[in-house]
Amino acid sequence: CRSNYFVNQKEKTTTKKCKVMSTGQDKYRDELIATARKIATPGRGILAADESTNTIKSRFDKIQVENTEENRRAYRDLLITAEGIEKYISGVIFYEETLFQKSADGTDFVALLQAKGIIPGIKVDKGVKNLRGTADETMTQGLDDLDVRAKKYYEKGARFAKWRAVLKLGKNGEDPSPVAIEENARGLARYAAICQDNGLVPIIEPEVLVLEGDHDLSASVRAMTRVFAATWKACQDANVLLEGCLMKPNMALAGRGSKNQPSAADVAHATVTVLRRTVPVAVPGIVFLSGGMSEEEASVNLNAINSVEGPKPWNLSFSYGRALQSSALKAWLGKKDNVGAGQKGFIERAQANSEANLGKYKGGAGGAEASQSLYVSNYVY
């Protein structure tokens, strides 16, 4: 019955339809709703700076930077101290190490973001494990101690969380298996409920690896529809407060090996169609992952999505990692003298995606470099 609440926005009152036991979600309810709405502010999106230690190593290796804690701190410092970041970024997702780090001047990263009106977030999943009896399909780990960790992260200042579920199409474009869809949907719902009980807005991220394979756009649409519908059904069953969460899906793309690659307009129409069929309108915002698209492709597709005619009851924005950081990394190269250049590259992409969220991006930010593919097969954060 936790989901059976009515919200009177003018009087800011709530009425219960039935008696329920007191929960943590009840305690944080108004805060969760306010946080989700603030993150979903038009013209702003999320910087996903939650790469694990191993993942950031692969990024640093490409620019010949040693993967030390200090270099990781310096790089995240570059991003979040960029002048004007608050114009385009409403939230930043950290890896646990980064949540407790400080800027070069000794200011906590969390405090630095808060001073700019940016909401700190935290990645809380612990990666994936194979599901027995499937074709290398996976389920996400990390529920056992999530309540303890969520409480710790909230006390540090985090106000939202991310949990990535990964689903795969078959070799011939078949839908993910029923067991993979069900296990990941339930996992996302349980994660969401635990986070809300501890004050964190959950980002629901059911990522379908649509770029893997040679299937066409219709196969991606079919798989995404099944996965997203099952995910939100599980969230309803788990009494997740829909107004107090966000969604981070992939866009509808054809497999990388397909001979029939869709235009940005086709991607946009297919993506919005899936969302209209599956995502409750109570959810305030949808922030797309970039999923291996180039920086420019991610911006152009987001702009096309926001240009689709017809009802779009959610703020449709971005939660990009690679597609916000690639140019910054190449400009920085681990050198103090290049911090300004790295920040310029980052802000240029952030502004491009802000404009795309508003349907006003004209294209061309970052030049030819921004169109280079960022695809990594079976990408792991």
Side-chain angles (χ1 to χ4, degrees), residues 339-350:
V339 167
Q343 291 177 328
K344 180 181 178 181
F346 166 60
I347 290 297
E348 185 174 29
R349 286 277 32 121

Side-chain angles (χ1 to χ4, degrees), residues 69-70 72-82 94 97-113 115-116 156 339 343:
E69 182 177 354
E70 173 54 26
R72 294 192 296 270
R73 187 210 61 77
Y75 174 59
R76 271 58 179 265
D77 193 14
L78 175 157
L79 295 173
I80 65 177
T81 59
F94 284 142
E97 174 187 81
T98 317
L99 184 70
F100 294 90
Q101 287 179 328
K102 297 181 179 182
S103 184
D105 65 2
T107 305
D108 282 349
F109 279 169
V110 168
L112 193 156
L113 291 180
K116 294 174 179 283
K156 180 58 181 174
V339 167
Q343 291 177 328

